[in-house]
Amino acid sequence: MTQQGAVLQGYNNELVKCIEDLCMQKEELNKQIQQAEEEKTKLQHEIQVLSEQLECVCENLAQKVASRNELDKILAETEAAYMKILDSSRTLLNVLKKEVGSIKHSPDLKTN
């Protein structure tokens, strides 16, 4: 019977060692889980901060695009008005040249 008791004691010791090993593995796994949860929380915070920054950049960009579009419109209108002024100036110059030409050829202005 002592031999059976010794075998049983050996099984018991081995079982206790296996249980202790499992407990150590569980503790290590718990540490890894805690680290992963901390990393997850940190990353979620960074995502929130970056999302807020992205929103600000998008709003700023939209305002700048709207301002640029308004400037494009003003420039187009200004260039069109300037082209009309140039056209009117050319027309005025041509009329003036004709008038001066006709005055020079008029008999009243010819001198001997």
Side-chain angles (χ1 to χ4, degrees), residues 88-107:
S88 295
S89 295
R90 185 173 5 108
T91 302
L92 178 60
L93 181 61
N94 289 338
V95 168
L96 184 61
K97 284 181 180 180
K98 262 188 200 176
E99 291 295 322
V100 168
S102 67
I103 291 175
K104 284 183 181 178
H105 290 97
S106 129

Side-chain angles (χ1 to χ4, degrees), residues 8 10 17 19 27-28 36-37 40 44 61 66 68-69 75 84 88 99 105-106 112:
L8 185 59
K17 183 170 177 2
I19 291 172
E27 279 183 41
E28 180 59 32
E37 286 175 345
K40 175 185 169 189
Q44 286 175 330
L61 179 61
R68 183 191 62 195
N69 291 343
L75 279 170
K84 287 180 182 180
S88 295
E99 291 295 322
H105 290 97
S106 129
N112 289 338

